[in-house]
Amino acid sequence: MRRNLWKKVTSATLCAAMVGGIMVSNGALAVQAEDGEEKEVITLRVMGETGMDGISTDDAVGRYIKEKLGIVLEYTNVSTDRLKVMASGGDLPDIVELHGDDVNVSTLIDAGSLWAMDDWLEENGDNLKEKIPTALRYAKEVVGNGKTYFVPTNVQTANPDLPNKNGFVGFYTRWDYYKELGYPDVSTEDKYLDVLKQMVDAHPTTEDGKKVYALSGWTDWDIFPYKISYPFDMGYTNQDNNQLLNDATGEIEDMFTVEDGPLWKSLAFYNKAYRMGIMDPEAFTMKNDQYNAKIKNGEVLVSNYNWCGPDASVCGDDAAMYMIPGTFPYAMQIYPTANPLGYTTSNALVISANCEYPERAMELIDYLASDEGARLVRTGVPGEDWDVVDGEPELIGKRLENFTSNDKEYSGYTSDGVQGIGKYKWLSPLWETNQCADGEPVDLTLSKKYILSTVTDIDKDFCDYYTDGKAQYPGEVYVELVEEGKLKTNNEDSTGSMTASLMKPVSDESARVFSKAMEYFQANIAKVITCADDDAFEEQKQKMISDVMAMGYESALEEVQANFEEAKNVVDSFK
């Protein structure tokens, strides 16, 4: 029996529906499609990125999708553990965005839990076939053994002319306090840590009396604080199965068992900070929301990423954070680089075998791969949040006022989900910086025009210090330093990155071993960072490596390396 059909409407609802292009057909709501075809209004149960809050879909973007496609989205969220239980019991909703490798795509395929998408791709997949052909080929040929069972997300096109406003991940440090100290030398890690100590000594508490630390962390994104910022600043990017990709060599390295690898150097860096008294002890118990709150309140002076900084109303207008060059050789992902395979199986859209309307589910995914659909979920409703003005796409109305006022006008318009902007972004396979046919990115706020409109005096101060005003915003500073040979960034045509993306999934047994090892490190990360001296650190390090190896890790590593070598053989055909 079909679920959640809209059987009855009142006269008032019917009138409103007809005005909006919706009509009644055979006792159920229907919409008039652009080709004149009448479509029944259906409900699709969608499970979003695990870790997101549960959200309402009664918003402008959701209503636009309903009017456009005749699809009502019933959006839910569950924990990773609950998702595992649902997957093993065959109880998945219609569309699932799998996040990470906690639920393996290949396992779901083998269990018969997914629809193969090929027939519906043929009928309703023109946008997908145009925009992400390489990613679809990967899904079909590498993972699906000739059939397409998933659509990768985060398929990204290169755009070196559009640097991010302020990089991506790294060690974002309070610029006002660095300037206050007279721009001291940070040419080594020890000198950088010493400068951080000077900052904390100069500002030991916040205005409201909270203790200040230089560095902190959180616990609900596995070991993100330690496997991302430091390794990325050393020229590595994280991969599936606890691996790191070395940008310089194009090879993968295990993060847990390589003793002189970037993860262990990262942990040693944080251990030094802890012993200096500038590492927040609550890093080992906090959630990410609490970490962000401390950044905003000025309790933590270094942020691990560009999307959270000090609240100017609390810390002052000069309390901005930038990656201060000198300590680390790399600033990774400072502008969009080509990622034609997307996040492969790590962020994958699948249609459950339980879905009674798989062709309509594919129609939804394909629409969100179009310029209109992708911009809808990233920028907002056309004609209401953005429009073409004098031949150029521009923000309008409340969306413009909200953006230009930095969320002071119509507060929560996007962040609280009032309009629905951003809620459904992982249902689109396209990344936010991808250019539409009009030459501007899917998310208009990331266009050069709107980046420049948000540049502050302190941004200009940072730019003036490093480039004498040549750079217009911080992201251009990092690009300028790369062009001058003072900094490195991603290899734009990385064979290693393509090879890693083309690897077939490891066996279920190896996947369990890798997952168990990550859980072990999560549980024991505090023990190594809080060691009292170098000898204790080394002892704990050897214990953790030994404990991981005892899980059958060596065999799992052999499999993942064999898969990497095999993927090297197919790289050329995908380039």
Side-chain angles (χ1 to χ4, degrees):
M1 186 174 77
R2 295 189 173 184
R3 293 174 46 86
N4 297 326
L5 295 184
W6 292 41
K7 296 296 185 181
K8 298 178 181 179
V9 290
T10 63
S11 298
T13 304
L14 173 59
C15 291
M18 291 178 70
V19 170
I22 302 175
M23 62 187 66
V24 172
S25 172
N26 298 324
L29 285 184
V31 294
Q32 192 78 37
E34 292 179 358
D35 61 5
E37 177 188 359
E38 193 176 296
K39 290 186 176 180
E40 180 182 28
V41 175
I42 65 165
T43 295
L44 291 178
R45 298 170 301 144
V46 179
M47 185 178 295
E49 177 188 5
T50 52
M52 284 179 59
D53 293 331
I55 57 176
S56 164
T57 54
D58 184 22
D59 51 60
V61 172
R63 290 190 292 272
Y64 190 92
I65 291 171
K66 173 186 170 184
E67 293 177 8
K68 180 81 176 181
L69 303 178
I71 296 173
V72 176
L73 298 177
E74 186 181 283
Y75 211 108
T76 60
N77 170 61
V78 297
S79 67
T80 296
D81 289 340
R82 177 60 182 154
L83 178 58
K84 291 178 182 178
V85 172
M86 293 173 70
S88 62
D91 189 29
L92 294 175
D94 299 311
I95 300 174
V96 182
E97 188 270 317
L98 300 174
H99 183 67
D101 289 308
D102 298 293
V103 177
N104 191 284
V105 171
S106 294
T107 301
L108 294 178
I109 294 171
D110 293 342
S113 299
L114 307 178
W115 279 109
M117 302 175 174
D118 300 273
D119 289 344
W120 302 300
L121 268 171
E122 191 60 36
E123 296 176 11
N124 293 316
D126 289 347
N127 292 304
L128 288 163
K129 288 182 287 188
E130 176 190 349
K131 296 293 182 66
I132 63 166
T134 306
L136 290 179
R137 189 175 159 208
Y138 163 83
K140 183 174 184 175
E141 296 180 13
V142 177
V143 180
N145 293 319
K147 292 185 178 181
T148 308
Y149 289 96
F150 70 97
V151 174
T153 62
N154 189 38
V155 177
Q156 182 171 285
T157 54
N159 194 349
D161 295 327
L162 187 66
N164 301 327
K165 169 78 182 291
N166 190 17
F168 181 47
V169 294
F171 292 98
Y172 287 83
T173 308
R174 283 284 293 266
W175 177 251
D176 52 339
Y177 291 173
Y178 181 66
K179 180 179 180 180
E180 179 183 86
L181 293 173
Y183 314 103
D185 179 13
V186 290
S187 58
T188 68
E189 291 179 29
D190 286 340
K191 288 180 179 179
Y192 175 59
L193 287 171
D194 184 62
V195 168
L196 294 182
K197 179 71 163 58
Q198 292 177 52
M199 291 182 184
V200 172
D201 289 346
H203 303 274
T205 60
T206 61
E207 288 291 327
D208 58 352
K210 303 287 180 59
K211 183 158 175 44
V212 171
Y213 293 96
L215 298 163
S216 189
W218 62 97
T219 62
D220 49 337
W221 295 7
D222 64 58
I223 58 169
F224 183 108
Y226 319 108
K227 76 175 185 181
I228 299 293
S229 296
Y230 187 101
F232 273 55
D233 277 359
M234 298 302 289
Y236 289 78
T237 50
N238 61 307
Q239 305 294 316
D240 297 339
N241 305 312
N242 308 334
Q243 303 300 293
L244 294 168
L245 176 70
N246 186 324
D247 186 71
T249 66
E251 298 293 330
I252 56 172
E253 301 176 17
D254 185 67
M255 70 169 75
F256 294 151
T257 59
V258 177
E259 293 192 29
D260 61 347
L263 178 65
W264 282 109
K265 289 180 179 178
S266 171
L267 296 176
F269 173 83
Y270 279 94
N271 175 242
K272 284 183 181 179
Y274 182 83
R275 284 150 58 184
M276 293 170 69
I278 59 173
M279 174 68 179
D280 181 6
E282 293 184 354
F284 313 116
T285 56
M286 287 193 305
K287 303 295 186 184
N288 182 252
D289 286 347
Q290 295 168 289
Y291 172 84
N292 288 340
K294 285 194 173 190
I295 295 287
K296 293 175 183 177
N297 194 47
E299 296 170 57
V300 175
L301 305 183
V302 179
S303 177
N304 287 87
Y305 36 57
N306 68 356
W307 57 87
C308 184
D311 185 334
S313 67
V314 175
C315 303
D317 291 336
D318 289 346
M321 289 177 163
Y322 309 108
M323 291 186 288
I324 298 174
T327 309
F328 302 102
Y330 277 81
M332 300 289 269
Q333 300 182 359
I334 56 177
Y335 48 70
T337 56
N339 183 21
L341 298 176
Y343 279 170
T344 62
T345 59
S346 292
N347 270 87
L349 293 169
V350 298
I351 301 176
S352 163
N354 297 327
C355 181
E356 297 182 44
Y357 306 97
E359 71 285 356
R360 301 287 294 277
M362 180 54 61
E363 182 183 6
L364 171 69
I365 295 171
D366 185 70
Y367 171 67
L368 296 181
S370 69
D371 285 359
E372 178 186 323
R375 186 168 281 169
L376 170 70
V377 295
R378 294 281 190 177
T379 300
V381 176
E384 184 176 341
D385 295 312
W386 70 276
D387 211 337
V388 177
V389 180
D390 297 329
E392 300 291 334
E394 294 186 358
L395 300 178
I396 61 172
K398 293 179 180 178
R399 181 69 182 99
L400 176 61
E401 292 184 55
N402 176 258
F403 176 78
T404 56
S405 69
N406 195 26
D407 201 43
K408 291 182 175 63
E409 295 294 328
Y410 304 104
S411 180
Y413 190 74
T414 60
S415 60
D416 291 343
V418 173
Q419 193 73 352
I421 299 168
K423 281 184 181 180
Y424 315 95
K425 62 184 180 181
W426 287 110
L427 282 174
S428 174
L430 307 184
W431 194 236
E432 57 195 357
T433 55
N434 289 12
Q435 288 179 296
C436 295
D438 56 29
E440 297 296 345
V442 163
D443 182 347
L444 280 178
T445 67
L446 300 178
S447 67
K448 184 71 68 82
K449 171 181 177 178
Y450 289 107
I451 290 176
L452 291 176
S453 75
T454 66
V455 172
T456 64
D457 288 341
I458 197 66
D459 290 333
K460 293 176 184 176
D461 186 63
F462 176 77
C463 295
D464 289 345
Y465 182 76
Y466 286 106
T467 70
D468 196 25
K470 183 177 180 180
Q472 300 177 87
Y473 59 91
E476 291 188 342
V477 171
Y478 309 134
V479 173
E480 178 73 14
L481 293 173
V482 169
E483 291 175 349
E484 292 176 359
K486 298 176 181 177
L487 198 62
K488 299 177 184 178
T489 192
N490 302 53
N491 182 347
E492 290 188 63
D493 188 28
S494 173
T495 299
S497 179
M498 177 72 81
T499 303
S501 296
L502 285 169
M503 291 170 62
K504 66 183 182 183
V506 296
S507 65
D508 289 350
E509 177 56 32
S510 290
R512 280 191 290 270
V513 170
F514 287 126
S515 179
K516 185 177 179 182
M518 178 59 76
E519 291 171 1
Y520 171 83
F521 259 73
Q522 280 183 268
N524 288 275
I525 204 82
K527 293 180 181 179
V528 68
I529 292 178
T530 59
C531 284
D533 52 42
D534 291 344
D535 289 342
F537 181 90
E538 183 63 25
E539 182 179 350
Q540 180 64 27
K541 171 182 173 180
Q542 294 303 325
K543 180 184 186 307
M544 291 173 70
I545 292 174
S546 177
D547 288 348
V548 164
M549 293 301 288
M551 298 175 184
Y553 206 76
E554 185 172 0
S555 176
L557 281 179
E558 289 174 355
E559 181 182 354
V560 81
Q561 187 62 47
N563 288 357
F564 186 77
E565 296 301 323
E566 183 180 332
K568 288 180 179 179
N569 297 325
V570 296
V571 165
D572 289 341
S573 67
F574 274 84
K575 275 205 160 187

